[in-house]
Amino acid sequence: MRLDKYICESTTLTRSQAKKVLSQGRIKINDKVVRSSAYKTTEDEVIRFDGDIISVRGLRYIMLNKPQDFICSNVDEQLPSIFNLIEVDKKEQLFVAGRLDADTTGLTLITDDGQWSHKVTSPRNKCKKCYRVGLDAVITPEAIEQLQQGVQLNSEPQPCLPAEVEVISETEVLLTISEGKYHQVKRMFAAVGNLVIELHREKIGEIILDDNLDLGEWRYLTEAEVQSIS
Ligand code: URA
């Protein structure tokens, strides 16, 4: 990797600040000052900035318990972004693996690993997502059967894949789906004549929302959680 890129990825410096500290002679490789931005680093080298060893940060994987009225993009709209809730360097490199609507709460995965995110969201991978759904009207046996068989959504060419439905009460169910179409859960219940009034994501694949996290709180995933997405 080019030395200026290495400095950016291992510190909070921008590319132009990295070039500046290089020209100031503040970067040493194996105890020798190196000033060239284009220098190609190798894995065995010890790179120091003002005497401290710097190393490229690994990829980041975060779970957030998303509150209502936050949006999952970092574009400034009328509502605040969930990225305002996370205090980490280089936030602009992070993105959401499977967005939630502004009024949906719960498990939100955030990463800078594009391949991992693709595994979470790609319909081909059939990664399951489990939602706790609060309904306006009583859930009927016919509706449950339709959801389990694969409901047809408006303006979709194919019916949804069969969903798993666990009834908690007359107006609350756990719904597990393995796709992520636009507003999918709300549209599925609309298609069976009901209305979602509360939606909370509890689980993605084997990753369960940590119940130590209050709404708005986050933590890094454990190695096992990261590896569980395959
Ligand atoms: N389905 C929806 O309708 N909304 C969400 O936020 C997530 C899934």
Side-chain angles (χ1 to χ4, degrees):
M1 184 188 298
R2 275 176 61 108
L3 185 52
D4 53 355
K5 184 161 193 272
Y6 186 100
I7 295 167
C8 289
E9 293 201 359
S10 52
T11 67
T12 56
L13 299 182
T14 61
R15 190 61 79 99
S16 62
Q17 288 167 332
K19 286 187 197 307
K20 191 163 174 201
V21 298
L22 277 162
S23 68
Q24 289 167 336
R26 294 164 68 184
I27 301 293
K28 282 186 177 174
I29 299 186
N30 296 345
D31 291 330
K32 279 175 77 178
V33 170
V34 177
R35 293 176 196 268
S36 162
S37 301
Y39 179 95
K40 283 272 170 355
T41 59
T42 58
E43 278 188 7
D44 55 330
E45 287 170 327
V46 178
I47 304 181
R48 289 176 192 270
F49 171 36
D50 286 346
D52 295 327
I53 294 179
I54 53 173
S55 58
V56 172
R57 190 184 42 228
L59 292 164
R60 294 172 291 173
Y61 306 89
I62 287 170
M63 77 158 71
L64 165 77
N65 187 1
K66 180 190 170 296
Q68 261 192 355
D69 297 333
F70 279 78
I71 53 168
C72 281
S73 66
N74 32 24
V75 183
D76 244 343
E77 291 173 25
Q78 270 140 358
L79 293 172
S81 159
I82 55 165
F83 291 98
N84 297 357
L85 300 166
I86 296 169
E87 279 320 312
V88 291
D89 287 341
K90 306 209 171 171
K91 275 193 218 179
E92 67 285 357
Q93 294 174 358
L94 294 172
F95 49 89
V96 176
R99 291 180 180 192
L100 292 176
D101 298 335
D103 57 354
T104 303
T105 57
L107 179 60
T108 307
L109 298 178
I110 298 167
T111 184
D112 48 11
D113 183 342
Q115 284 181 357
W116 188 84
S117 166
H118 184 73
K119 288 185 204 162
V120 174
T121 56
S122 162
R124 278 211 209 144
N125 217 33
K126 298 201 171 73
C127 175
K128 290 184 177 180
K129 287 103 189 167
C130 176
Y131 295 86
R132 184 173 286 267
V133 189
L135 294 167
D136 185 46
V138 171
I139 182 100
T140 62
E142 298 74 37
I144 296 172
E145 201 180 317
Q146 276 179 280
L147 294 166
Q148 286 170 333
Q149 281 179 2
V151 78
Q152 177 65 52
L153 301 183
N154 267 342
S155 61
E156 292 289 341
Q158 306 276 349
C160 293
L161 293 175
E164 294 165 30
V165 185
E166 187 185 330
V167 177
I168 308 291
S169 75
E170 284 185 328
T171 54
E172 190 177 35
V173 298
L174 287 179
L175 182 85
T176 302
I177 56 175
S178 47
E179 303 157 285
K181 298 184 205 295
Y182 183 64
H183 294 326
Q184 181 161 344
V185 177
K186 291 173 187 163
R187 289 164 71 208
M188 285 172 81
F189 281 94
V192 298
N194 210 322
L195 176 69
V196 172
I197 52 173
E198 267 181 70
L199 189 55
H200 180 77
R201 188 158 61 193
E202 296 198 334
K203 194 172 172 191
I204 297 178
E206 293 307 313
I207 304 176
I208 299 170
L209 179 62
D210 189 331
D211 55 16
N212 292 314
L213 296 178
D214 287 335
L215 286 168
E217 293 186 336
W218 64 276
R219 69 160 169 80
Y220 287 107
L221 296 188
T222 64
E223 189 57 32
E225 287 170 332
V226 174
Q227 295 305 328
S228 73
I229 300 289
S230 54

